[in-house]
Amino acid sequence: MDAVIERRGGPPNWGRVARRLLAWVGIGVPSVLVLAFATSADARYVARAGVEEARILLKRHSIAKLVADARTAPALRQRLALVLAARAFAGDSLGLMAGETFTSYVDVGRDTLLLVLSAARRDRLRAYTWQYPIVGTVPYKGFFDFAQARAAAADLEREGYDTYLRPAGAFSTLGYFADPLLSTVMERDTMELVATVIHELAHNTLYLKSQTPFNESFASFVGYRGAEAFFRSRHDSTDARRAVARWRDERTLDLLYAELARRLDSTYAAGPGGAALERARETVFGWARAQLTGRVGQSLETYDWRWFARARLNNAVVIAQRLYRMNLNLFEDVYVHANANLRETIRAIQVRVFTQPGDPYQALYSRAGLPAD
């Protein structure tokens, strides 16, 4: 008895403990991972996204070196130099957090990086959402695997949802990684290229968890007003005017989609079902299409109204379009109040949303030193 007690009270055999721990890690962790991959589509999705992100990061080339390399195609070198100038302007003149974002370039080998899926119930203007670490609840899901994207859309449609799949050429990791510039955005005209760079840097600077419409609309505002300021600093009046016109078009579309959303909400509140629901949807979407192909669409300065004539309309499309165009005139009001000083506008918006937690749009109604109504 005493011998047993003495042995238990002696120093542990750390070698044996280590071997057992390693055995548990070697057997247990792979087993858990295999089980997760076998039973969880989310685990497989995250793993695929991680692999694709790793592939992109491994293919990076320094933009500065590509610009300095005489072997780089002249057109590409010119675009890359413009990107470097835009990110420098965004950091120095606008106060955006550039970090290492867009200091490298990746040719992804195709014209579309990923497909983005949105969905919504057919009888309610409410987004289907997905949950992710860090960014929170998001009303869309990106797929590097296009077949997987179409299969996911088909599954949701079989469950009775409206869906919308759209291509995306860029994405942001919010500064957590040194996001490279991707070849998928290089074919955009010079104004849109600069606006895209500044848009993504705006995400690095201000991003509120689970507030996707605010985040994207803020970045759209900063992207186009920032592009205007950038081109004016270079005495490029043509692209500066195009940035102003695009921002005007975005606000026009914002008002149209807001009215469409109001009409849909009113229609669905009446609770139609079956054939009555389909007739009601057809009436409201018919009104919207008439606006997009008629007075509103043909008033746009930078969009071709004929695209809207071909584009599909459903609840998921409306929600997706509004993600980037929600209450844009509130951002413009802050900009005007700051005497059209974009750097001060960005700072004022940051102060308002961080000192008045809750609905970030409500914070935009406030004036410096005063609570929002």
Side-chain angles (χ1 to χ4, degrees):
M1 185 71 170
D2 291 342
V4 172
I5 294 173
E6 182 176 310
R7 182 167 59 82
R8 286 181 177 175
N13 187 330
W14 291 112
R16 181 183 299 170
V17 171
R19 285 192 297 274
R20 288 181 176 177
L21 283 175
L22 286 173
W24 277 108
V25 170
I27 297 172
V29 172
S31 298
V32 170
L33 290 175
V34 169
L35 181 62
F37 273 68
T39 60
S40 172
D42 288 340
R44 293 192 296 272
Y45 171 82
V46 170
R48 172 64 187 269
V51 169
E52 293 293 342
E53 175 69 14
R55 286 177 178 172
I56 289 172
L57 296 178
L58 288 172
K59 293 170 65 177
R60 290 177 295 179
H61 297 280
S62 165
I63 291 180
K65 290 181 178 179
L66 288 171
V67 170
D69 191 341
R71 294 170 296 179
T72 303
L76 177 59
R77 187 189 305 134
Q78 185 179 27
R79 289 296 181 100
L80 293 176
L82 183 66
V83 167
L84 290 181
R87 70 179 303 281
F89 178 86
D92 297 339
S93 299
L94 304 183
L96 298 181
M97 295 176 62
E100 296 300 311
T101 300
F102 297 150
T103 57
S104 60
Y105 173 72
V106 172
D107 186 342
V108 300
R110 59 191 190 190
D111 59 3
T112 299
L113 176 64
L114 70 163
L115 291 178
V116 178
L117 172 63
S118 298
R121 288 180 51 170
R122 291 180 60 80
D123 63 348
R124 192 174 304 172
L125 201 62
R126 179 178 298 173
Y128 186 98
T129 59
W130 289 265
Q131 191 75 25
Y132 301 103
I134 302 173
V135 298
T137 302
V138 179
Y140 52 70
K141 186 173 185 176
F143 293 85
F144 290 98
D145 185 327
F146 296 173
Q148 187 181 26
R150 296 186 184 97
D155 287 343
L156 286 169
E157 287 171 3
R158 280 191 290 270
E159 294 177 25
Y161 288 92
D162 282 343
T163 65
Y164 178 40
L165 269 178
R166 61 195 185 278
F171 66 94
S172 172
T173 60
L174 311 180
Y176 286 95
F177 296 99
D179 291 334
L181 180 73
L182 303 177
S183 56
T184 47
V185 305
M186 295 301 283
E187 295 304 315
R188 299 177 184 181
D189 63 51
T190 50
M191 186 280 290
E192 278 293 341
L193 178 60
V194 168
T196 298
V197 169
I198 298 176
H199 178 115
E200 299 303 335
L201 296 182
H203 284 317
N204 289 2
T205 306
L206 175 61
Y207 193 94
L208 304 179
K209 187 175 182 178
S210 300
Q211 296 287 349
T212 303
F214 176 86
N215 294 327
E216 294 296 352
S217 297
F218 167 75
S220 293
F221 159 68
V222 175
Y224 289 121
R225 279 301 189 190
E228 175 199 357
F230 170 77
F231 287 114
R232 290 201 187 286
S233 74
R234 294 163 67 93
H235 308 291
D236 183 342
S237 59
T238 299
D239 270 335
R241 284 195 298 268
R242 278 183 47 75
V244 171
R246 175 55 64 89
W247 176 235
R248 193 157 46 234
D249 283 352
E250 294 298 326
R251 286 181 286 151
T252 296
L253 290 169
D254 174 10
L255 295 177
L256 175 63
Y257 282 113
E259 174 60 17
L260 173 55
R262 187 194 67 77
R263 291 180 180 228
L264 287 169
D265 282 335
S266 178
T267 296
Y268 297 143
L277 173 63
E278 297 309 313
R279 287 194 298 271
R281 281 165 53 97
E282 185 176 344
T283 297
V284 178
F285 288 129
W287 171 85
R289 192 173 301 283
Q291 298 298 310
L292 289 166
T293 58
R295 179 185 59 81
V296 174
Q298 293 184 40
S299 74
L300 300 175
E301 302 168 73
T302 63
Y303 286 107
D304 186 344
W305 66 269
R306 290 169 294 188
W307 178 88
F308 294 109
R310 299 187 299 269
R312 64 187 299 205
L313 278 174
N314 63 32
N315 291 350
V317 171
V318 173
I319 289 171
Q321 293 292 343
R322 296 200 73 207
L323 287 181
Y324 299 86
R325 306 181 179 101
M326 187 172 287
N327 297 325
L328 296 182
N329 280 328
L330 284 179
F331 297 101
E332 184 70 5
D333 287 346
V334 181
Y335 178 71
V336 171
H337 189 259
N339 298 314
N341 183 318
L342 185 55
R343 185 187 186 107
E344 287 302 310
T345 303
I346 294 168
R347 187 191 65 81
I349 291 172
Q350 288 178 294
V351 169
R352 293 181 196 189
V353 299
F354 287 132
T355 59
Q356 300 175 48
D359 181 0
Y361 281 112
Q362 188 64 23
L364 296 191
Y365 281 107
S366 70
R367 292 291 179 260
L370 297 175
D373 295 333

